[in-house]
Amino acid sequence: RGLGDVYKRQAVATAAPAAARPAAAPLPDKVPWEKIATGNDVRAFLDARRAEAVAAGKPMMIDFWATWCVYCKKLDKTVWNEPEVVAEAQRFETIKVDATAPDDEEMVAIKEELRVSGLPLVVFIDSRGEILHGQSSGFKPAADMLAVMQSIR
């Protein structure tokens, strides 16, 4: 009997039985977006969520979409429901901005600041509150979107 046997016995004796360990919460079926639409005081909403994200040390992911946008729907059907993407999204503040309605002055200013020139467009903001322009425009397959998400801190 060597030291390895002593350590093995201690590890076995101190390990909690599987039933005693708390189970991890199941992941949702899709990315849990908080939604807002043009005309609903979007600036105040985004500013508040950004401040909360920075305080919590979380990055943000803002998905600009519209009902008429075919590739926005494709993101919903083939990317935002992929288990790996859903799992990675748990560390983000996730917001979906419905830009279906014509832009009001507020939305025009928001789109200019975030450089939203077309849809779909996912804007990433890091955990310090810095906008990371150019990370994702247009449709990206799940593996590509996951790689972008994993690069954001």
Side-chain angles (χ1 to χ4, degrees), residues 84-85 88 91-92 124 135 140-153:
E84 297 85 4
V85 172
E88 185 65 18
R91 64 183 191 84
F92 285 81
F124 290 95
Q135 295 295 315
K140 282 193 183 312
D144 294 349
M145 187 64 75
L146 180 62
V148 171
M149 292 168 68
Q150 290 170 334
S151 74
I152 308 295
R153 294 287 161 229

Side-chain angles (χ1 to χ4, degrees), residues 38-94:
T38 300
N40 291 318
D41 204 9
V42 177
R43 166 62 65 202
F45 176 84
L46 290 177
D47 288 348
R49 293 306 174 279
R50 190 171 179 178
E52 290 168 11
V54 168
K58 293 175 73 172
M60 292 179 71
M61 186 165 64
I62 307 169
D63 180 15
F64 283 84
W65 69 284
T67 56
W68 49 260
C69 173
V70 173
Y71 285 104
C72 299
K73 293 175 184 178
K74 190 172 179 181
L75 277 171
D76 285 337
K77 290 180 181 175
T78 66
V79 176
W80 303 137
N81 60 355
E82 281 296 314
E84 297 85 4
V85 172
V86 174
E88 185 65 18
Q90 300 310 297
R91 64 183 191 84
F92 285 81
E93 179 78 28
T94 54

Side-chain angles (χ1 to χ4, degrees), residues 32-33 103 111 148:
W33 300 100
D103 290 347
K111 285 182 171 181
V148 171

